[in-house]
Amino acid sequence: MARPLEVIEGPLMNGMNIVGDLFGSGRCSCRRWLSRPVWMKKAVAVLLPYMEAEKAAMVAAGQEVQAQGKVVMATVKGDVHDIGKNIVGVRPGLQQLRGD
């Protein structure tokens, strides 16, 4: 059985890349492209309890579990990523993804 993180980094990210490629080539609608973060968030939410259980098992086995650090992401006002963030902000049901 694959570890939860391997599922996220493997098939889920591969699926995100495929949808991105389809959108970039014009074979995927904007609506579908904008929905991919929602589905990724739902998939990660399903895997999160398994990740926590894996962490608890490591602690119970006496292994040291450390935080891997923090990632800070930013966009330049007006660039393509900032525009995408704003689209997500106005589309009903996606506001929770903004993190503002």
Side-chain angles (χ1 to χ4, degrees):
M1 183 164 139
R3 295 178 57 217
L5 190 57
E6 291 171 351
V7 173
I8 294 168
E9 292 176 342
L12 289 178
M13 287 306 298
N14 291 341
M16 295 280 282
N17 290 333
I18 290 169
V19 173
D21 291 343
L22 290 172
F23 179 73
S25 68
R27 295 183 294 169
C28 178
S29 69
C30 186
R31 179 181 56 83
R32 288 184 188 224
W33 180 75
L34 286 173
S35 70
R36 73 184 183 161
V38 173
W39 292 108
M40 182 65 147
K41 187 174 181 178
K42 287 181 180 185
V44 170
V46 169
L47 293 170
L48 196 56
Y50 295 99
M51 293 171 73
E52 292 298 328
E54 183 179 62
K55 183 176 164 183
M58 290 173 69
V59 169
Q63 296 178 0
E64 184 177 346
V65 178
Q66 293 182 348
Q68 298 298 311
K70 294 183 180 182
V71 175
V72 177
M73 298 179 74
T75 60
V76 176
K77 186 170 178 73
D79 80 351
V80 67
H81 301 97
D82 186 55
I83 293 166
K85 180 186 74 172
N86 292 334
I87 291 171
V88 168
V90 298
R91 187 171 187 282
L94 295 181
Q95 289 86 357
Q96 69 274 11
L97 295 176
R98 287 182 53 189
D100 292 345

Coordinates of all heavy atoms in Angstrom, one line a residue:
M1 N 0.8 -1.2 0.0 CA 0.0 0.0 0.0 C 0.9 1.2 0.0 O 1.9 1.3 0.7 CB -0.9 0.0 1.2 CG -1.9 1.1 1.3 SD -3.2 0.7 2.5 CE -3.3 2.3 3.3
A2 N 0.6 2.2 -0.8 CA 1.3 3.4 -0.9 C 1.1 4.3 0.3 O 0.0 4.3 0.9 CB 1.0 4.2 -2.2
R3 N 2.1 5.1 0.6 CA 2.0 6.0 1.7 C 1.1 7.2 1.2 O 1.1 7.5 0.0 CB 3.4 6.6 2.1 CG 4.3 5.5 2.7 CD 5.6 6.0 3.0 NE 5.5 7.1 3.9 CZ 6.4 8.2 3.9 NH1 7.3 8.3 3.0 NH2 6.2 9.2 4.7
P4 N 0.4 7.8 2.1 CA -0.5 8.9 1.7 C 0.2 10.0 0.9 O -0.3 10.5 -0.1 CB -1.1 9.5 3.0 CG -0.9 8.4 4.0 CD 0.3 7.6 3.5
L5 N 1.4 10.4 1.3 CA 2.2 11.4 0.7 C 2.6 11.0 -0.8 O 2.6 11.8 -1.7 CB 3.4 11.8 1.5 CG 4.2 13.1 1.0 CD1 3.3 14.3 1.0 CD2 5.4 13.3 1.9
E6 N 2.9 9.7 -0.9 CA 3.2 9.2 -2.3 C 2.0 9.3 -3.2 O 2.1 9.5 -4.4 CB 3.7 7.8 -2.2 CG 5.0 7.6 -1.5 CD 5.4 6.2 -1.2 OE1 4.5 5.3 -1.4 OE2 6.5 5.9 -0.9
V7 N 0.8 9.1 -2.6 CA -0.5 9.3 -3.5 C -0.6 10.7 -3.9 O -0.9 11.0 -5.1 CB -1.7 8.8 -2.7 CG1 -3.0 9.1 -3.4 CG2 -1.6 7.3 -2.3
I8 N -0.4 11.7 -3.0 CA -0.5 13.1 -3.3 C 0.6 13.5 -4.4 O 0.3 14.1 -5.4 CB -0.3 14.0 -2.1 CG1 -1.5 13.7 -1.1 CG2 -0.2 15.4 -2.4 CD1 -1.3 14.3 0.3
E9 N 1.8 13.1 -4.1 CA 2.9 13.4 -5.0 C 2.9 12.7 -6.3 O 3.5 13.1 -7.3 CB 4.3 13.2 -4.3 CG 4.5 14.2 -3.2 CD 5.8 13.9 -2.4 OE1 6.3 12.8 -2.6 OE2 6.2 14.8 -1.7
G10 N 2.2 11.5 -6.4 CA 2.2 10.7 -7.6 C 0.9 11.0 -8.4 O 0.9 12.0 -9.2
P11 N -0.1 10.1 -8.3 CA -1.3 10.2 -9.1 C -2.0 11.5 -9.0 O -2.5 12.0 -10.0 CB -2.1 9.0 -8.7 CG -1.6 8.5 -7.5 CD -0.2 9.0 -7.4
L12 N -2.2 12.1 -7.8 CA -2.9 13.4 -7.7 C -2.2 14.5 -8.5 O -2.8 15.2 -9.2 CB -3.1 13.7 -6.3 CG -4.1 12.9 -5.5 CD1 -4.2 13.3 -4.1 CD2 -5.5 12.9 -6.1
M13 N -0.9 14.6 -8.3 CA -0.2 15.7 -9.0 C -0.1 15.4 -10.5 O -0.2 16.3 -11.3 CB 1.2 15.8 -8.4 CG 1.3 16.5 -7.0 SD 0.4 18.1 -6.9 CE 1.4 19.1 -8.1
N14 N 0.0 14.1 -10.9 CA 0.0 13.8 -12.3 C -1.3 14.2 -12.9 O -1.4 14.8 -14.0 CB 0.2 12.3 -12.5 CG 1.6 11.9 -12.1 OD1 2.5 12.7 -12.1 ND2 1.8 10.6 -11.9
G15 N -2.4 14.0 -12.2 CA -3.8 14.4 -12.7 C -3.9 15.9 -12.8 O -4.4 16.4 -13.8
M16 N -3.3 16.6 -11.8 CA -3.3 18.1 -11.9 C -2.5 18.6 -13.1 O -2.9 19.5 -13.8 CB -2.7 18.7 -10.6 CG -3.5 18.4 -9.4 SD -4.9 19.5 -9.2 CE -4.1 21.0 -8.6
N17 N -1.4 17.9 -13.4 CA -0.6 18.3 -14.5 C -1.3 18.0 -15.8 O -1.2 18.8 -16.8 CB 0.8 17.6 -14.5 CG 1.7 18.1 -13.4 OD1 1.6 19.2 -13.0 ND2 2.5 17.2 -12.9
I18 N -2.0 16.9 -15.9 CA -2.8 16.6 -17.1 C -3.8 17.6 -17.4 O -4.0 18.1 -18.5 CB -3.4 15.2 -17.0 CG1 -2.3 14.1 -17.1 CG2 -4.4 14.9 -18.1 CD1 -2.7 12.7 -16.7
V19 N -4.6 18.0 -16.4 CA -5.6 19.0 -16.5 C -5.0 20.3 -16.9 O -5.5 21.0 -17.8 CB -6.5 19.2 -15.2 CG1 -7.4 20.3 -15.4 CG2 -7.2 17.9 -14.9
G20 N -3.9 20.7 -16.3 CA -3.2 21.9 -16.7 C -2.8 21.9 -18.2 O -2.9 22.9 -18.9
D21 N -2.2 20.8 -18.6 CA -1.8 20.6 -20.0 C -3.0 20.7 -21.0 O -3.0 21.4 -22.0 CB -1.1 19.3 -20.3 CG 0.3 19.3 -19.6 OD1 0.8 20.3 -19.2 OD2 0.8 18.1 -19.4
L22 N -4.1 20.1 -20.6 CA -5.4 20.2 -21.4 C -5.9 21.6 -21.5 O -6.3 22.0 -22.6 CB -6.4 19.2 -20.8 CG -6.2 17.7 -21.0 CD1 -7.2 17.0 -20.2 CD2 -6.2 17.3 -22.4
F23 N -5.8 22.3 -20.4 CA -6.3 23.7 -20.4 C -5.3 24.5 -21.3 O -5.8 25.4 -22.1 CB -6.3 24.3 -19.0 CG -6.7 25.7 -18.9 CD1 -8.0 26.1 -19.1 CD2 -5.8 26.7 -18.7 CE1 -8.4 27.4 -19.1 CE2 -6.2 28.0 -18.6 CZ -7.5 28.4 -18.8
G24 N -4.0 24.3 -21.1 CA -3.1 25.1 -21.9 C -3.2 24.8 -23.4 O -2.9 25.7 -24.2
S25 N -3.7 23.6 -23.8 CA -3.8 23.3 -25.2 C -5.2 23.7 -25.7 O -5.5 23.4 -26.9 CB -3.5 21.9 -25.5 OG -4.5 21.0 -24.9
G26 N -6.1 24.2 -24.8 CA -7.4 24.6 -25.3 C -8.4 23.5 -25.3 O -9.5 23.6 -25.8
R27 N -8.1 22.3 -24.7 CA -9.0 21.2 -24.7 C -9.7 21.0 -23.4 O -10.3 20.0 -23.2 CB -8.2 19.9 -25.1 CG -7.6 19.9 -26.5 CD -6.9 18.6 -26.8 NE -5.7 18.5 -26.0 CZ -5.0 17.4 -25.9 NH1 -5.3 16.3 -26.6 NH2 -3.9 17.4 -25.2
C28 N -9.6 22.0 -22.5 CA -10.3 21.9 -21.2 C -10.8 23.3 -20.9 O -10.2 24.3 -21.1 CB -9.2 21.5 -20.1 SG -9.9 21.4 -18.5
S29 N -12.1 23.3 -20.5 CA -12.7 24.6 -20.2 C -12.2 25.2 -18.9 O -11.6 24.6 -18.1 CB -14.2 24.4 -20.0 OG -14.5 23.6 -18.8
C30 N -12.4 26.5 -18.9 CA -11.9 27.3 -17.7 C -12.6 26.8 -16.4 O -12.0 26.7 -15.4 CB -12.2 28.8 -17.9 SG -11.5 29.8 -16.6
R31 N -13.9 26.4 -16.6 CA -14.7 25.9 -15.4 C -14.0 24.7 -14.9 O -13.8 24.5 -13.6 CB -16.1 25.6 -15.8 CG -17.0 25.1 -14.7 CD -18.4 24.8 -15.2 NE -18.4 23.9 -16.4 CZ -18.4 22.6 -16.3 NH1 -18.3 22.0 -15.1 NH2 -18.5 21.8 -17.4
R32 N -13.6 23.8 -15.7 CA -12.9 22.5 -15.2 C -11.6 22.8 -14.6 O -11.2 22.2 -13.7 CB -12.8 21.5 -16.4 CG -14.1 20.9 -16.7 CD -14.0 19.8 -17.7 NE -15.3 19.4 -18.2 CZ -15.6 18.2 -18.4 NH1 -14.7 17.2 -18.1 NH2 -16.8 17.8 -18.8
W33 N -10.9 23.8 -15.3 CA -9.5 24.1 -14.8 C -9.6 24.7 -13.4 O -8.8 24.4 -12.5 CB -8.9 25.0 -15.8 CG -7.5 25.5 -15.4 CD1 -6.3 24.7 -15.5 CD2 -7.1 26.7 -14.8 NE1 -5.3 25.4 -15.0 CE2 -5.7 26.7 -14.6 CE3 -7.8 27.9 -14.5 CZ2 -5.0 27.7 -14.1 CZ3 -7.1 28.9 -14.0 CH2 -5.7 28.9 -13.8
L34 N -10.6 25.6 -13.2 CA -10.8 26.2 -11.9 C -11.2 25.2 -10.8 O -11.1 25.5 -9.6 CB -11.7 27.4 -12.0 CG -11.2 28.6 -12.7 CD1 -12.3 29.7 -12.8 CD2 -10.0 29.2 -11.9
S35 N -11.9 24.2 -11.2 CA -12.4 23.2 -10.2 C -11.3 22.2 -9.7 O -11.5 21.6 -8.7 CB -13.5 22.4 -10.8 OG -13.1 21.5 -11.8
R36 N -10.1 22.2 -10.4 CA -9.1 21.2 -10.0 C -8.6 21.5 -8.6 O -8.3 20.5 -7.8 CB -8.0 21.1 -11.0 CG -7.1 22.2 -11.1 CD -6.1 22.0 -12.2 NE -5.2 23.1 -12.2 CZ -4.0 23.1 -12.7 NH1 -3.6 22.1 -13.4 NH2 -3.2 24.2 -12.6
P37 N -8.4 22.7 -8.1 CA -7.9 22.9 -6.7 C -9.0 22.3 -5.7 O -8.6 21.8 -4.7 CB -7.7 24.4 -6.6 CG -7.7 24.9 -7.9 CD -8.4 24.0 -8.8
V38 N -10.2 22.5 -6.0 CA -11.3 22.0 -5.1 C -11.2 20.5 -5.0 O -11.2 19.9 -3.9 CB -12.7 22.3 -5.7 CG1 -13.8 21.7 -4.8 CG2 -12.9 23.9 -5.7
W39 N -11.0 19.8 -6.1 CA -10.9 18.3 -6.0 C -9.6 17.9 -5.3 O -9.6 16.9 -4.6 CB -11.0 17.7 -7.4 CG -12.4 17.9 -7.9 CD1 -12.8 18.7 -8.9 CD2 -13.6 17.2 -7.4 NE1 -14.2 18.6 -9.0 CE2 -14.7 17.7 -8.1 CE3 -13.8 16.3 -6.4 CZ2 -16.0 17.3 -7.9 CZ3 -15.1 15.9 -6.2 CH2 -16.2 16.4 -6.9
M40 N -8.5 18.6 -5.6 CA -7.2 18.3 -4.9 C -7.4 18.4 -3.4 O -6.9 17.6 -2.6 CB -6.1 19.1 -5.5 CG -4.8 18.8 -4.9 SD -4.2 17.2 -5.3 CE -2.5 17.4 -5.4
K41 N -8.0 19.5 -3.0 CA -8.2 19.8 -1.6 C -9.1 18.7 -0.9 O -8.8 18.2 0.2 CB -8.9 21.1 -1.4 CG -9.0 21.6 0.0 CD -9.5 23.0 0.1 CE -9.6 23.4 1.6 NZ -10.1 24.8 1.7
K42 N -10.1 18.2 -1.6 CA -11.0 17.1 -1.1 C -10.2 15.8 -1.0 O -10.3 15.1 -0.1 CB -12.2 16.9 -2.0 CG -13.2 18.0 -1.9 CD -14.4 17.8 -2.8 CE -15.4 18.9 -2.6 NZ -16.7 18.7 -3.3
A43 N -9.3 15.5 -2.0 CA -8.5 14.3 -2.0 C -7.5 14.3 -0.8 O -7.4 13.3 -0.1 CB -7.8 14.1 -3.3
V44 N -6.9 15.5 -0.6 CA -5.9 15.6 0.5 C -6.6 15.5 1.8 O -6.1 14.9 2.7 CB -5.1 16.9 0.3 CG1 -4.3 17.2 1.6 CG2 -4.2 16.9 -0.9
A45 N -7.9 16.0 1.9 CA -8.6 15.9 3.1 C -8.9 14.4 3.5 O -8.9 14.1 4.6 CB -9.9 16.7 3.0
V46 N -9.2 13.6 2.5 CA -9.4 12.2 2.7 C -8.1 11.5 3.2 O -8.2 10.6 4.0 CB -9.9 11.5 1.4 CG1 -9.9 10.0 1.5 CG2 -11.3 12.0 1.0
L47 N -7.0 11.9 2.6 CA -5.7 11.3 3.0 C -5.1 11.8 4.3 O -4.3 11.1 4.9 CB -4.7 11.5 1.9 CG -5.0 10.8 0.5 CD1 -4.1 11.3 -0.6 CD2 -4.9 9.3 0.7
L48 N -5.5 13.0 4.8 CA -5.0 13.6 6.0 C -5.0 12.7 7.2 O -4.0 12.5 7.9 CB -5.6 14.9 6.2 CG -4.9 15.8 7.2 CD1 -3.5 16.1 6.8 CD2 -5.7 17.1 7.3
P49 N -6.2 12.0 7.5 CA -6.2 11.1 8.7 C -5.1 10.0 8.5 O -4.6 9.6 9.5 CB -7.6 10.5 8.7 CG -8.4 11.5 7.9 CD -7.5 12.1 6.9
Y50 N -4.9 9.5 7.3 CA -3.9 8.4 7.1 C -2.5 9.0 7.4 O -1.6 8.3 7.9 CB -4.0 7.8 5.7 CG -5.3 7.1 5.5 CD1 -6.4 7.8 4.8 CD2 -5.5 5.8 6.0 CE1 -7.6 7.1 4.6 CE2 -6.7 5.2 5.8 CZ -7.8 5.8 5.1 OH -9.0 5.2 4.9
M51 N -2.3 10.2 7.0 CA -1.0 10.9 7.2 C -0.8 11.0 8.7 O 0.3 10.8 9.2 CB -0.9 12.2 6.5 CG -0.9 12.0 5.0 SD -1.0 13.6 4.1 CE 0.6 14.3 4.3
E52 N -1.8 11.5 9.4 CA -1.7 11.6 10.9 C -1.5 10.3 11.6 O -0.7 10.2 12.5 CB -2.9 12.3 11.4 CG -3.1 13.8 11.0 CD -2.0 14.7 11.5 OE1 -1.4 14.4 12.6 OE2 -1.6 15.6 10.8
A53 N -2.1 9.2 11.1 CA -1.9 7.9 11.7 C -0.5 7.4 11.4 O 0.1 6.8 12.3 CB -3.0 6.9 11.1
E54 N 0.0 7.7 10.3 CA 1.4 7.3 9.9 C 2.4 8.0 10.9 O 3.3 7.4 11.4 CB 1.7 7.6 8.5 CG 3.0 7.2 8.0 CD 3.3 7.5 6.6 OE1 3.2 8.7 6.2 OE2 3.5 6.6 5.8
K55 N 2.1 9.3 11.1 CA 2.9 10.1 12.0 C 2.9 9.5 13.4 O 3.9 9.4 14.1 CB 2.5 11.5 11.9 CG 3.3 12.5 12.8 CD 2.8 13.9 12.5 CE 3.2 14.9 13.5 NZ 2.6 16.2 13.3
A56 N 1.7 9.2 13.9 CA 1.5 8.7 15.2 C 2.2 7.3 15.4 O 2.8 7.0 16.4 CB 0.0 8.5 15.6
A57 N 2.1 6.5 14.3 CA 2.8 5.2 14.4 C 4.3 5.4 14.5 O 5.0 4.6 15.2 CB 2.5 4.4 13.1
M58 N 4.8 6.4 13.8 CA 6.3 6.7 13.8 C 6.7 7.1 15.2 O 7.7 6.6 15.8 CB 6.7 7.7 12.8 CG 6.6 7.3 11.4 SD 6.8 8.6 10.2 CE 8.6 8.9 10.4
V59 N 5.9 7.9 15.9 CA 6.1 8.4 17.2 C 6.1 7.2 18.2 O 6.9 7.1 19.1 CB 5.2 9.5 17.6 CG1 5.3 9.8 19.1 CG2 5.4 10.8 16.8
A60 N 5.1 6.4 18.0 CA 4.9 5.2 18.9 C 6.1 4.2 18.7 O 6.5 3.5 19.7 CB 3.6 4.5 18.6
A61 N 6.7 4.2 17.6 CA 7.8 3.3 17.3 C 9.1 3.9 17.8 O 10.2 3.4 17.6 CB 7.9 3.0 15.8
G62 N 9.0 5.2 18.4 CA 10.2 5.8 18.9 C 11.0 6.6 17.9 O 12.1 7.1 18.2
Q63 N 10.4 6.8 16.7 CA 11.1 7.6 15.7 C 10.9 9.1 15.9 O 9.8 9.5 16.4 CB 10.7 7.2 14.3 CG 11.0 5.8 13.9 CD 10.4 5.4 12.5 OE1 9.8 6.2 11.9 NE2 10.6 4.2 12.1
E64 N 11.9 9.9 15.6 CA 11.7 11.3 15.7 C 11.0 11.9 14.5 O 11.3 11.6 13.4 CB 13.1 12.0 15.8 CG 13.0 13.4 16.1 CD 14.4 14.1 16.2 OE1 15.4 13.3 16.4 OE2 14.5 15.3 16.2
V65 N 9.9 12.7 14.8 CA 9.1 13.3 13.8 C 9.3 14.8 13.9 O 9.1 15.4 14.9 CB 7.6 12.9 13.9 CG1 6.8 13.6 12.9 CG2 7.4 11.4 13.9
Q66 N 9.8 15.4 12.8 CA 10.1 16.8 12.8 C 9.3 17.5 11.7 O 9.0 16.9 10.7 CB 11.6 17.1 12.5 CG 12.5 16.6 13.5 CD 14.0 16.9 13.2 OE1 14.3 17.3 12.1 NE2 14.9 16.8 14.1
A67 N 9.0 18.7 11.9 CA 8.3 19.6 10.9 C 9.3 19.8 9.8 O 10.5 19.9 10.0 CB 7.9 20.9 11.5
Q68 N 8.8 19.8 8.6 CA 9.7 19.9 7.4 C 10.0 21.4 7.0 O 10.6 21.6 6.1 CB 9.1 19.2 6.2 CG 9.0 17.7 6.5 CD 10.3 17.0 6.7 OE1 11.2 17.2 5.9 NE2 10.4 16.2 7.7
G69 N 9.4 22.3 7.8 CA 9.6 23.7 7.5 C 8.3 24.3 6.9 O 7.3 23.7 6.9
K70 N 8.4 25.6 6.5 CA 7.3 26.3 6.0 C 7.6 26.8 4.6 O 8.7 27.1 4.3 CB 6.9 27.5 6.9 CG 6.5 27.1 8.3 CD 6.1 28.3 9.1 CE 5.6 27.9 10.4 NZ 5.2 29.0 11.3
V71 N 6.5 26.9 3.8 CA 6.6 27.4 2.5 C 5.8 28.7 2.4 O 4.7 28.7 2.8 CB 6.1 26.4 1.4 CG1 6.1 27.0 0.0 CG2 6.9 25.1 1.5
V72 N 6.4 29.7 1.9 CA 5.7 31.0 1.7 C 5.7 31.2 0.2 O 6.7 31.2 -0.5 CB 6.5 32.2 2.4 CG1 5.8 33.5 2.1 CG2 6.6 31.9 3.9
M73 N 4.4 31.5 -0.3 CA 4.2 31.7 -1.7 C 3.6 33.1 -1.9 O 2.8 33.5 -1.1 CB 3.3 30.7 -2.3 CG 3.8 29.3 -2.2 SD 2.7 28.1 -2.9 CE 2.9 28.4 -4.6
A74 N 4.1 33.8 -2.9 CA 3.5 35.1 -3.2 C 3.4 35.3 -4.7 O 4.1 34.6 -5.5 CB 4.5 36.2 -2.6
T75 N 2.6 36.2 -5.1 CA 2.5 36.6 -6.5 C 2.7 38.1 -6.6 O 2.5 38.9 -5.7 CB 1.1 36.2 -7.1 OG1 0.1 36.9 -6.3 CG2 0.8 34.8 -7.0
V76 N 3.1 38.5 -7.8 CA 3.2 39.9 -8.1 C 1.9 40.4 -8.6 O 1.2 39.8 -9.4 CB 4.3 40.1 -9.2 CG1 4.4 41.6 -9.6 CG2 5.6 39.6 -8.7
K77 N 1.4 41.5 -8.0 CA 0.1 42.1 -8.4 C 0.0 42.2 -9.9 O 0.8 42.9 -10.5 CB -0.1 43.4 -7.7 CG -1.6 43.9 -7.9 CD -1.8 45.1 -7.0 CE -3.2 45.6 -7.2 NZ -4.3 44.8 -6.7
G78 N -1.0 41.6 -10.4 CA -1.3 41.7 -11.9 C -0.7 40.6 -12.7 O -1.0 40.5 -13.9
D79 N 0.1 39.7 -12.2 CA 0.7 38.6 -13.0 C -0.4 37.5 -13.2 O -1.5 37.6 -12.6 CB 2.0 38.1 -12.5 CG 1.8 37.1 -11.3 OD1 0.7 37.0 -10.8 OD2 2.9 36.5 -11.0
V80 N -0.1 36.6 -14.0 CA -1.1 35.5 -14.3 C -1.6 34.8 -13.0 O -2.8 34.4 -12.9 CB -0.6 34.6 -15.4 CG1 0.6 33.7 -14.9 CG2 -1.7 33.7 -15.9
H81 N -0.7 34.6 -12.1 CA -1.1 33.8 -10.9 C -2.0 34.7 -10.0 O -3.0 34.2 -9.4 CB 0.1 33.3 -10.1 CG 0.9 32.4 -11.0 ND1 2.0 32.9 -11.6 CD2 0.8 31.1 -11.3 CE1 2.5 31.8 -12.3 NE2 1.8 30.8 -12.1
D82 N -1.7 36.0 -9.9 CA -2.6 36.9 -9.1 C -4.0 37.0 -9.7 O -5.0 37.0 -9.1 CB -1.9 38.3 -9.1 CG -2.7 39.3 -8.2 OD1 -2.8 38.9 -7.0 OD2 -3.0 40.3 -8.7
I83 N -4.0 37.0 -11.1 CA -5.3 37.0 -11.8 C -6.1 35.8 -11.5 O -7.3 35.8 -11.2 CB -5.1 37.2 -13.3 CG1 -4.5 38.6 -13.5 CG2 -6.4 37.0 -14.0 CD1 -4.0 38.8 -14.9
G84 N -5.4 34.6 -11.5 CA -6.1 33.3 -11.2 C -6.6 33.3 -9.8 O -7.7 32.8 -9.5
K85 N -5.8 33.9 -8.8 CA -6.2 33.9 -7.4 C -7.5 34.8 -7.3 O -8.4 34.4 -6.6 CB -5.1 34.5 -6.6 CG -5.5 34.6 -5.1 CD -4.4 35.3 -4.3 CE -4.5 36.8 -4.7 NZ -3.7 37.7 -3.9
N86 N -7.6 35.9 -8.1 CA -8.7 36.7 -8.0 C -10.0 36.0 -8.7 O -11.1 36.2 -8.2 CB -8.5 38.0 -8.7 CG -7.5 38.9 -7.9 OD1 -7.3 38.7 -6.7 ND2 -6.7 39.7 -8.6
I87 N -9.8 35.2 -9.7 CA -10.9 34.5 -10.3 C -11.4 33.5 -9.3 O -12.6 33.4 -9.1 CB -10.4 33.8 -11.6 CG1 -10.1 34.8 -12.7 CG2 -11.5 32.8 -12.1 CD1 -9.5 34.2 -13.9
V88 N -10.5 32.8 -8.6 CA -10.9 31.8 -7.6 C -11.7 32.6 -6.5 O -12.7 32.1 -6.0 CB -9.7 31.1 -7.0 CG1 -10.1 30.3 -5.8 CG2 -9.1 30.2 -8.1
G89 N -11.3 33.8 -6.2 CA -12.0 34.6 -5.2 C -13.4 34.9 -5.5 O -14.3 35.1 -4.6
V90 N -13.8 35.1 -6.8 CA -15.1 35.6 -7.1 C -16.0 34.4 -7.5 O -17.2 34.5 -7.6 CB -15.1 36.6 -8.2 CG1 -14.4 37.9 -7.8 CG2 -14.5 36.1 -9.5
R91 N -15.4 33.3 -7.9 CA -16.2 32.1 -8.3 C -16.9 31.5 -7.1 O -16.2 31.1 -6.1 CB -15.3 31.1 -9.0 CG -16.2 30.0 -9.6 CD -15.2 29.1 -10.5 NE -16.0 28.1 -11.2 CZ -16.5 27.0 -10.7 NH1 -16.3 26.7 -9.4 NH2 -17.2 26.2 -11.4
P92 N -18.2 31.3 -7.1 CA -18.9 30.8 -5.9 C -18.4 29.4 -5.5 O -18.1 28.6 -6.4 CB -20.4 30.7 -6.4 CG -20.5 31.6 -7.5 CD -19.1 31.7 -8.2
G93 N -18.2 29.2 -4.3 CA -17.7 27.9 -3.8 C -16.2 27.7 -3.7 O -15.7 26.7 -3.2
L94 N -15.5 28.7 -4.2 CA -14.0 28.6 -4.2 C -13.3 29.5 -3.3 O -12.1 29.6 -3.2 CB -13.4 28.7 -5.6 CG -13.9 27.7 -6.6 CD1 -13.2 28.0 -8.0 CD2 -13.5 26.3 -6.2
Q95 N -14.1 30.4 -2.6 CA -13.5 31.4 -1.7 C -12.6 30.8 -0.7 O -11.6 31.4 -0.3 CB -14.6 32.2 -1.0 CG -15.3 33.2 -2.0 CD -16.5 32.5 -2.7 OE1 -16.7 31.3 -2.5 NE2 -17.2 33.2 -3.4
Q96 N -12.9 29.6 -0.2 CA -12.1 29.0 0.9 C -10.7 28.7 0.4 O -9.8 28.5 1.2 CB -12.8 27.8 1.5 CG -12.8 26.6 0.6 CD -14.0 26.6 -0.4 OE1 -14.7 27.6 -0.5 NE2 -14.2 25.5 -1.1
L97 N -10.4 28.6 -0.9 CA -9.1 28.3 -1.4 C -8.1 29.5 -1.4 O -6.9 29.3 -1.5 CB -9.2 27.7 -2.8 CG -10.0 26.4 -2.9 CD1 -10.1 26.1 -4.4 CD2 -9.3 25.3 -2.2
R98 N -8.6 30.7 -1.3 CA -7.8 31.8 -1.4 C -6.8 32.0 -0.3 O -5.6 32.3 -0.5 CB -8.6 33.1 -1.5 CG -9.3 33.2 -2.8 CD -10.1 34.5 -2.9 NE -9.2 35.6 -2.6 CZ -9.7 36.8 -2.5 NH1 -11.0 37.0 -2.6 NH2 -8.9 37.9 -2.2
G99 N -7.2 31.7 0.9 CA -6.3 31.9 2.1 C -6.0 33.3 2.4 O -5.0 33.6 3.1
D100 N -6.7 34.3 1.9 CA -6.5 35.7 2.2 C -7.0 36.0 3.6 O -8.0 35.5 4.1 CB -7.2 36.6 1.2 CG -6.6 36.5 -0.2 OD1 -5.5 35.9 -0.3 OD2 -7.2 36.9 -1.1

